[in-house]
Amino acid sequence: MLPYATLVQIDRNAPLPVYKQVAHRLVSLIQEGRIQPGAFLPGTRELAALLTLHRKTVVAAYEELERQDWIRTIPRKGVLVSPDLPEVKPRTFQPGKGTGAYKGGTGFDFTHQETQPPPLIASPRFRLVINDGFPDVRESPLALLLRECRRVSQTRAYAHRLMYGRPSGTDHLREALATHLSASRGLAIGPENVLVTRGAQMSIYLAAALLIRPGDKVIVGTTNYHYADLCFEQLGAQLVRVPVDEQGIDVQAVAAVCKRTRIRMLYVVPHHHHPTTVTLSAERRMHLLELIRDQNLAVIEDDYDYDFHYASGPILPLASGDHGGNVLYTGSMTKSLALSIRIGFLVAPAVFVEEAARFRRLLDLRGDNLVEEALAGLIDNGDIDRHLKKTNKLFKERRDVFCDLLTGQLGGLVDFKKPDGGMAVWARFPKRFSIPRLSARAGELGLLIGDGSAYRTVGSAENGIRMGFASLTTTEIREAIRLLKRAAEA
Amino acid sequence: MLPYATLVQIDRNAPLPVYKQVAHRLVSLIQEGRIQPGAFLPGTRELAALLTLHRKTVVAAYEELERQDWIRTIPRKGVLVSPDLPEVKPRTFQPGKGTGAYKGGTGFDFTHQETQPPPLIASPRFRLVINDGFPDVRESPLALLLRECRRVSQTRAYAHRLMYGRPSGTDHLREALATHLSASRGLAIGPENVLVTRGAQMSIYLAAALLIRPGDKVIVGTTNYHYADLCFEQLGAQLVRVPVDEQGIDVQAVAAVCKRTRIRMLYVVPHHHHPTTVTLSAERRMHLLELIRDQNLAVIEDDYDYDFHYASGPILPLASGDHGGNVLYTGSMTKSLALSIRIGFLVAPAVFVEEAARFRRLLDLRGDNLVEEALAGLIDNGDIDRHLKKTNKLFKERRDVFCDLLTGQLGGLVDFKKPDGGMAVWARFPKRFSIPRLSARAGELGLLIGDGSAYRTVGSAENGIRMGFASLTTTEIREAIRLLKRAAEA
């Protein structure tokens, strides 16, 4: 007889009832081939004694197995494993360690991601973090959002909406966003032009997946947002790079490329280019719109931190200009609101929004209806506008303090331009300076800061890093810069 | 002079300050070519009078435009539109109506989706809904989840976690799910085997996207879950169909196909096949595991409603058997908990989970950390287990009432087998019976029920519909069946 007492281990603290644990374990033993089809199991009394269980528990386990066709009771003979089951040679139960049909490669190409740094995870070892440019979560309107979630969940209409959500987002949020985006960005759109997504990244993925076929050429900048590059490459695009200088993307170069070769799409971040934070000049903006119309050029405009601008009001997006429906506009409420709950949008011609919604069903069916409704409520009642006004003021102060200290303390080492908006400074270091070493030394002092590898675009001579100032109080900024200086001088 | 009073419309109720509205509108006029480069704008006093605004407002608008390089002030001459801007021929501002680089087709192939019905959206016109098989949202543990969200958001660790989430899900939820899934499903997994997703659909998409290359052959059943078929086809797969009968998918047929041709992957729903709800027999399960090992066959196992089983305990998934790491297991907490907040999982070998997490960053970077942490808390404290126990009891009662009434009232018309679990009955109608007509008539009576088009798999002779019983109280079930009978007899 098998060593049942060893093979069938019971965990009395587990949430699963004991009889089910017994049944599951016996099924495993059959599947592993340790108990073969046609073999007799111990009687209920015997197994109960072996496992020091009540007999009724074993009876329940056997009943369960019989209902599931694993075993059969033969009157006056006993209980045997169903002889119809195929025989199995014993093997160890090793999920995840077998020969794996996809082992040694899924066929998915991740080579482009090899320079990708491990994500920054704050651990208690780090007292302070200079991030990539994210708002201060301590200022997030999360309490308001949760309160609104509770309110929505108590409405009568909710139970209906909950089950039958749409992949394009709830009607209410699409309307609220259409109004909000029209007013704040100079767009003239209706709800039919808005697709609610899980964040700007999903907006980019959806738009790109609809446009790009393997081999298609896509224009991007040098430098460029890392995850956009990866996204296009994974969809099979061939990237064509054009320079990005102090005035933004080089529109003449874009025009030259369009003349030379068939281009499927342009990806551009006119407002605060990622990573360098430069803004596309008004002149180039006009030229680009002209080019978009003339060439009938499809464009993904990534406007990830439009809501933060200090020097003047925010610059209107390309999407607010005359682009003949060619500009697909993406952005995020997550970043604007410092939420851990992710909501973004794609603004596009209605026909494109419909197609993107159909494709989106294959990705995740739809978003979180409750959160979408709650956010719509906060937009409607003005909470979001008030929040943005308040944080703009706050982050402007933080930018000023950060930039003054950066000049004062590290001016000899770091070259940067005070940004007009956004939440990060693009800090350039001398060519030979090792940012990874700076990052490592800062880490030893309790300051978490990236090593710059996420910003190293192919063909770029930039040796820089984004330094986010918005998520630190002025006291924290002082301490962070002090530590950074020590790390640089070490 | 341009008709500024008409062209520059001010909305005093809009959240955007009036001076910004004026500035935005002027930029639009420049971009539309209505005001040309080098042209003079009216003086501030004059424009203020035209628009009946305070002069200071117009001054602020002009300052804004000047900071953004749109206009230039020439002392003693006036304000003119920057002559450096390129000239534009006037065009109407028509986002979404232009010539569209993607108009008339994005290159994305939606032909397979043409039979797709419009999603069921409950409107006040419908008093009752027989859905596809979803739990009762009125029983959802949403209040518990929101309370836990608030608690988590007030912890000190939260601000750190919030910013730096991982694409694979929070560590805490991966651990909680590993424990929960091991205990309830007989899996032996650690957190490294769990990827947290936005729902079972995203799990399927991620797994399939890593495996499938255009032209690859994928085995699916006839019938099969509609969105899985669409997902594989959109990724370029060629579907190879095998029959599904009362014992589940025909494993002999799967084996025959594997012998005949190179197969990239099998998609299977062993527990409650979608749509017909049949469970794979124990014998076939054993044969299939053997085949998976022998052929080194990659499998996506979709176990969308494992948590609901009434006749016996739930049948253990293939993933709990000996499959050599070849089975990728997908499921959802959304469906189990009747949440509008979507959380699913993909269980796979650690190396596969890592690759899927890297790919997932391109889709939406990561999930909602707050909700993930909160769900982990509810799993840890036993709330989820208690909830599932309670709803299993409730839905079993509802199934019994529903099936008794369906037999009693519509037994002559509808052929069905009382399901062992899940939340829906697969109701078959005679070949010539029109389900769309039934659906339309029911709608007139205030009962929303699908028209069956989502279940029509190519090559299937089934004329049926899933009737969800779990989301209706017994009183509602009585009324729904009464209306259904009237609709059928009309």
Side-chain angles (χ1 to χ4, degrees):
Chain A
M1 183 159 45
L2 282 169
Y4 284 101
T6 330
L7 288 175
V8 182
Q9 299 279 351
I10 303 301
D11 175 1
R12 285 172 197 279
N13 296 318
L16 200 70
V18 171
Y19 82 93
K20 285 200 186 177
Q21 293 186 41
V22 175
H24 283 188
R25 193 59 196 125
L26 289 173
V27 167
S28 293
L29 293 172
I30 296 169
Q31 288 184 328
E32 287 163 32
R34 303 203 197 202
I35 313 179
Q36 291 290 333
F40 276 91
L41 292 179
T44 52
R45 212 177 299 267
E46 191 177 7
L47 188 57
L50 284 169
L51 304 179
T52 59
L53 294 172
H54 195 287
R55 193 186 154 208
K56 275 189 182 163
T57 307
V58 177
V59 170
Y62 279 13
E63 282 172 357
E64 178 88 15
L65 291 174
E66 192 149 25
R67 274 194 301 266
Q68 293 189 15
D69 295 335
W70 289 104
I71 62 172
R72 198 176 291 175
T73 306
I74 313 284
R76 279 179 308 273
K77 291 198 81 174
V79 172
L80 86 174
V81 177
S82 180
D84 307 325
L85 301 173
E87 277 196 27
V88 184
K89 290 194 203 87
R91 276 200 195 202
T92 321
F93 183 17
Q94 292 179 316
K97 289 188 194 162
T99 49
Y102 37 76
K103 207 187 162 188
T106 55
F108 198 71
D109 180 11
F110 280 106
T111 49
H112 304 296
Q113 296 201 30
E114 268 171 24
T115 58
Q116 185 51 28
L120 286 181
I121 303 290
S123 82
R125 175 161 99 78
F126 300 108
R127 284 179 294 129
L128 285 170
V129 184
I130 294 182
N131 62 37
D132 183 61
F134 199 81
D136 192 339
V137 298
R138 294 164 293 190
E139 302 290 333
S140 140
L142 190 59
L144 287 177
L145 186 73
L146 289 177
R147 203 177 60 196
E148 188 69 10
C149 279
R150 208 172 55 240
R151 194 193 64 72
V152 170
S153 73
Q154 286 160 356
T155 58
R156 278 189 66 186
Y158 180 58
H160 268 185
R161 285 207 195 99
L162 185 59
M163 279 187 287
Y164 311 105
R166 296 181 205 255
S168 42
T170 71
D171 292 346
H172 187 182
L173 182 57
R174 293 174 80 193
E175 277 159 30
L177 279 176
T179 307
H180 173 73
L181 298 174
S182 293
S184 59
R185 272 115 167 129
L187 306 174
I189 53 169
E192 71 280 7
N193 301 116
V194 180
L195 179 75
V196 180
T197 67
R198 296 295 194 172
Q201 186 67 36
M202 185 180 273
S203 306
I204 295 170
Y205 185 84
L206 287 171
L210 292 197
L211 291 175
I212 296 172
R213 285 297 152 275
D216 279 351
K217 294 199 176 79
V218 170
I219 304 180
V220 297
T222 299
T223 56
N224 196 38
Y225 174 51
H226 187 64
Y227 287 113
D229 283 354
L230 288 179
C231 174
F232 306 147
E233 286 183 320
Q234 290 297 353
L235 290 165
Q238 195 183 324
L239 302 186
V240 181
R241 296 202 180 270
V242 298
V244 176
D245 60 27
E246 295 305 311
Q247 311 239 32
I249 199 162
D250 183 339
V251 176
Q252 300 288 4
V254 174
V257 170
C258 287
K259 209 169 253 176
R260 203 169 66 223
T261 181
R262 198 184 141 82
I263 290 298
R264 183 57 181 149
M265 188 188 99
L266 162 70
Y267 168 83
V268 66
V269 198
H271 199 231
H272 301 130
H273 181 76
H274 197 287
T276 64
T277 78
V278 297
T279 298
L280 190 66
S281 70
E283 192 189 336
R284 285 198 185 169
R285 180 177 308 260
M286 291 287 289
H287 275 296
L288 184 53
L289 279 169
E290 210 181 337
L291 184 69
I292 290 168
R293 290 191 304 268
D294 286 356
Q295 297 285 323
N296 215 5
L297 180 65
V299 175
I300 294 182
E301 178 178 25
D302 183 350
D303 204 1
Y304 66 97
D305 66 358
Y306 177 90
D307 283 314
F308 299 98
H309 215 94
Y310 318 121
S312 62
I315 310 280
L316 288 181
L318 289 175
S320 74
D322 182 11
H323 53 76
N326 286 336
V327 173
L328 308 165
Y329 180 73
T330 68
S332 166
M333 298 303 285
T334 299
K335 202 146 193 169
S336 298
L337 304 176
L339 288 173
S340 60
I341 289 169
R342 294 176 51 68
I343 293 196
F345 46 81
L346 170 66
V347 173
V351 59
F352 194 90
V353 166
E354 275 166 38
E355 285 212 23
R358 295 172 89 177
F359 179 47
R360 188 255 173 89
R361 285 189 305 206
L362 307 183
L363 293 196
D364 72 338
L365 292 184
R366 59 178 173 271
D368 295 344
N369 313 4
L370 174 64
V371 177
E372 291 181 1
E373 287 293 289
L375 180 60
L378 297 188
I379 293 174
D380 284 353
N381 72 18
D383 277 336
I384 298 301
D385 278 320
R386 275 187 292 278
H387 174 79
L388 289 174
K389 206 169 163 183
K390 191 186 78 177
T391 45
N392 254 284
K393 191 160 166 278
L394 185 68
F395 297 164
K396 186 182 184 204
E397 285 166 27
R398 291 179 177 181
R399 176 200 62 167
D400 293 342
V401 171
F402 190 92
C403 289
D404 286 353
L405 280 166
L406 199 58
T407 306
Q409 301 293 309
L410 287 150
L413 180 66
V414 175
D415 173 34
F416 73 99
K417 198 173 154 288
K418 189 169 173 172
D420 285 346
M423 293 172 286
V425 167
W426 177 243
R428 285 191 180 88
F429 290 86
K431 265 192 182 168
R432 301 255 173 95
F433 185 85
S434 165
I435 301 178
R437 201 161 58 195
L438 177 73
S439 169
R441 282 175 182 163
E444 286 161 21
L445 300 172
L447 173 68
L448 181 59
I449 186 166
D451 65 1
S453 53
Y455 313 118
R456 258 172 234 130
T457 307
V458 178
S460 161
E462 298 268 356
N463 184 32
I465 187 170
R466 281 170 67 94
M467 295 186 181
F469 50 78
S471 60
L472 298 166
T473 64
T474 49
T475 311
E476 288 165 346
I477 288 172
R478 270 186 207 99
E479 175 67 3
I481 301 262
R482 192 183 67 80
L483 293 175
L484 197 63
K485 191 182 180 189
R486 271 185 59 197
E489 289 169 351
Chain B
M1 184 160 46
L2 283 169
Y4 284 100
T6 330
L7 287 175
V8 182
Q9 298 281 350
I10 303 301
D11 176 0
R12 285 174 196 277
N13 296 319
L16 199 71
V18 171
Y19 82 93
K20 286 200 185 176
Q21 294 185 42
V22 174
H24 284 187
R25 193 60 196 126
L26 289 173
V27 168
S28 294
L29 293 172
I30 296 169
Q31 288 184 328
E32 287 162 34
R34 303 203 198 202
I35 312 178
Q36 292 287 335
F40 277 92
L41 292 180
T44 52
R45 213 177 300 267
E46 190 177 10
L47 188 58
L50 284 168
L51 303 180
T52 60
L53 293 172
H54 196 286
R55 192 187 154 209
K56 275 190 182 163
T57 307
V58 176
V59 170
Y62 279 14
E63 281 172 357
E64 178 87 17
L65 291 173
E66 192 149 22
R67 273 194 301 266
Q68 293 188 17
D69 294 335
W70 291 104
I71 62 173
R72 199 177 291 176
T73 305
I74 312 284
R76 280 179 307 274
K77 292 197 79 173
V79 171
L80 87 173
V81 177
S82 181
D84 306 326
L85 301 173
E87 277 196 26
V88 182
K89 290 194 203 86
R91 275 201 195 203
T92 321
F93 182 17
Q94 295 178 315
K97 288 188 193 162
T99 49
Y102 37 75
K103 208 188 162 187
T106 54
F108 198 71
D109 180 11
F110 281 106
T111 50
H112 305 296
Q113 295 200 32
E114 268 171 22
T115 58
Q116 186 53 24
L120 286 181
I121 303 288
S123 84
R125 173 162 98 80
F126 299 109
R127 285 180 293 128
L128 285 171
V129 183
I130 295 182
N131 61 37
D132 182 62
F134 198 82
D136 192 339
V137 299
R138 294 164 294 189
E139 302 289 333
S140 139
L142 189 59
L144 287 177
L145 186 73
L146 290 177
R147 204 177 59 198
E148 188 70 9
C149 279
R150 210 174 52 240
R151 193 192 64 73
V152 171
S153 73
Q154 287 161 354
T155 59
R156 279 188 67 187
Y158 181 58
H160 269 187
R161 285 207 195 99
L162 185 60
M163 280 186 286
Y164 311 104
R166 298 181 203 255
S168 44
T170 71
D171 292 346
H172 188 183
L173 182 56
R174 293 174 81 193
E175 277 159 30
L177 280 176
T179 307
H180 173 72
L181 297 174
S182 294
S184 60
R185 274 120 166 123
L187 306 173
I189 52 170
E192 71 280 8
N193 301 116
V194 180
L195 178 76
V196 180
T197 66
R198 295 295 195 173
Q201 186 68 37
M202 185 180 272
S203 306
I204 294 169
Y205 185 85
L206 286 171
L210 292 198
L211 291 174
I212 297 171
R213 286 295 152 274
D216 280 351
K217 293 201 176 79
V218 170
I219 304 180
V220 298
T222 300
T223 57
N224 196 39
Y225 175 52
H226 188 64
Y227 287 113
D229 284 354
L230 288 180
C231 174
F232 306 147
E233 287 182 319
Q234 291 296 354
L235 290 166
Q238 194 182 326
L239 302 186
V240 181
R241 296 202 180 270
V242 298
V244 177
D245 59 26
E246 295 304 311
Q247 310 239 32
I249 200 161
D250 184 339
V251 176
Q252 300 288 2
V254 174
V257 170
C258 288
K259 208 169 253 176
R260 205 169 65 222
T261 181
R262 197 184 142 82
I263 291 298
R264 182 56 180 150
M265 187 189 100
L266 163 70
Y267 168 82
V268 66
V269 198
H271 199 231
H272 301 130
H273 181 75
H274 198 287
T276 66
T277 78
V278 297
T279 298
L280 190 66
S281 70
E283 193 188 335
R284 286 197 185 168
R285 180 177 309 258
M286 292 287 290
H287 275 296
L288 184 53
L289 279 168
E290 212 182 335
L291 185 69
I292 289 167
R293 289 191 305 267
D294 286 357
Q295 297 286 322
N296 215 6
L297 180 64
V299 175
I300 294 183
E301 178 178 26
D302 183 351
D303 204 2
Y304 66 97
D305 66 358
Y306 177 91
D307 284 314
F308 299 99
H309 215 96
Y310 318 120
S312 61
I315 311 280
L316 288 180
L318 289 175
S320 74
D322 182 12
H323 53 75
N326 287 334
V327 173
L328 309 165
Y329 180 73
T330 68
S332 166
M333 298 303 285
T334 299
K335 202 145 194 169
S336 298
L337 304 176
L339 288 173
S340 60
I341 289 169
R342 295 175 51 67
I343 292 196
F345 47 81
L346 170 66
V347 173
V351 57
F352 194 90
V353 166
E354 275 166 37
E355 286 211 21
R358 295 172 89 176
F359 180 48
R360 189 255 171 89
R361 286 187 305 205
L362 307 183
L363 294 196
D364 72 338
L365 292 184
R366 59 178 172 271
D368 295 344
N369 312 4
L370 174 64
V371 177
E372 290 180 2
E373 286 292 290
L375 179 60
L378 296 188
I379 293 174
D380 284 353
N381 71 18
D383 277 337
I384 297 301
D385 278 321
R386 274 187 292 277
H387 175 79
L388 289 175
K389 205 167 164 184
K390 191 186 79 176
T391 46
N392 254 284
K393 190 159 167 279
L394 184 68
F395 298 164
K396 185 182 186 205
E397 284 166 25
R398 291 179 177 181
R399 176 200 63 167
D400 292 343
V401 171
F402 190 91
C403 289
D404 286 353
L405 281 166
L406 198 59
T407 306
Q409 300 294 309
L410 288 150
L413 180 67
V414 175
D415 174 34
F416 73 99
K417 198 173 155 285
K418 187 169 173 172
D420 286 346
M423 292 172 286
V425 167
W426 177 243
R428 286 190 180 89
F429 290 86
K431 266 193 182 167
R432 300 254 174 94
F433 184 86
S434 166
I435 301 178
R437 201 160 60 196
L438 176 73
S439 169
R441 284 175 181 161
E444 287 160 19
L445 299 170
L447 173 69
L448 180 60
I449 185 166
D451 65 0
S453 53
Y455 313 119
R456 259 174 233 128
T457 306
V458 177
S460 162
E462 298 267 356
N463 185 32
I465 188 171
R466 283 171 66 95
M467 294 186 181
F469 51 77
S471 60
L472 298 166
T473 65
T474 50
T475 311
E476 288 166 345
I477 288 173
R478 272 189 204 96
E479 176 66 2
I481 301 264
R482 193 183 67 79
L483 294 175
L484 197 62
K485 191 181 180 190
R486 272 184 59 196
E489 287 168 353

